[in-house]
Amino acid sequence: YPEQGSLVDDWFVFIFSITLVFYGYFLGGSDKFWQACEKYRFYLLGTTVVCILVLFYRYWWNGNMPKEQNSDLYFFGILNSVHIWLLILAILGFAKKHLNFTNRFLKYANQAVYPFYILHQTLIVSFGYYIVQWPLPIYIKLLILIIICFTSLMLLYNYLIKPFIITRVLYGLKPKQKVTNDQIM
């Protein structure tokens, strides 16, 4: 306490976070893992809710966070870790059950993700520099910034990146595939 967010001063958060990366790498390609998440999603969610209720009643409601290294701190740490992991697994199970489909929009958006990722921060900073100086309420400025940046990203993607081979490759997209007679029929 408090979390530092650095490798040197906060080894616990670093170790906890790096385990997520390793578990994702090793379990993400396993069909058995995905089937188990989908099959036990309600049990995982139920156990998560029980853990959250205990954490809320015992620690979060009154601000009784354990400050000394004793069994209460270990109980809190275990319960908190279990609720986080089971919530992640439950979300994955529900996502596997209800979000396992595709359509034209998803195919389009999936291809546009990387160019959007590359360009979004540059556009936000560029437009935001000017918009922040306008005499408007902050939520109006934010809404204007979101609309301008999203519109600019869509225009850049559709008219400068997607149609040309060079820009497609530079922004991490595969070159366009030529349509053959076999694909038409």
Side-chain angles (χ1 to χ4, degrees), residues 107-116 119 123 150-164 167-168 171 173:
K107 289 177 184 176
Y108 173 84
N110 188 35
Q111 192 176 27
V113 166
Y114 198 51
F116 270 53
L119 291 173
L123 292 179
F150 185 75
T151 304
S152 299
L153 284 166
M154 289 296 293
L155 292 171
L156 285 169
Y157 176 70
N158 282 316
Y159 297 110
L160 292 178
I161 297 172
K162 191 176 176 188
F164 305 109
T167 52
R168 288 181 70 87
Y171 283 93
L173 301 176

Side-chain angles (χ1 to χ4, degrees), residues 124-181:
I124 289 171
V125 171
S126 300
F127 291 128
Y129 175 78
Y130 297 103
I131 292 172
V132 77
Q133 298 172 27
W134 296 351
L136 295 171
I138 189 73
Y139 57 89
I140 300 293
K141 291 179 190 179
L142 178 62
L143 185 61
I144 291 170
L145 181 64
I146 290 170
I147 291 169
I148 289 174
C149 287
F150 185 75
T151 304
S152 299
L153 284 166
M154 289 296 293
L155 292 171
L156 285 169
Y157 176 70
N158 282 316
Y159 297 110
L160 292 178
I161 297 172
K162 191 176 176 188
F164 305 109
I165 293 174
I166 293 173
T167 52
R168 288 181 70 87
V169 172
L170 288 174
Y171 283 93
L173 301 176
K174 294 178 182 175
K176 284 185 187 179
Q177 295 180 356
K178 295 180 181 177
V179 179
T180 62
N181 290 334

Side-chain angles (χ1 to χ4, degrees), residues 67-96:
K67 295 179 177 47
E68 297 178 13
Q69 191 161 349
N70 56 23
S71 60
D72 198 37
L73 177 68
Y74 295 131
F75 180 71
F76 170 80
I78 290 170
L79 206 59
N80 194 44
S81 296
V82 167
H83 111 266
I84 290 170
W85 277 108
L86 294 184
L87 181 61
I88 290 170
L89 295 176
I91 290 170
L92 291 176
F94 280 102
K96 171 80 165 84

Side-chain angles (χ1 to χ4, degrees), residues 17-31 33-34 85 88 92:
S17 300
I18 199 73
T19 57
L20 291 174
V21 172
F22 286 128
Y23 283 136
Y25 179 77
F26 290 118
L27 297 176
S30 170
D31 288 335
F33 169 76
W34 287 102
W85 277 108
I88 290 170
L92 291 176

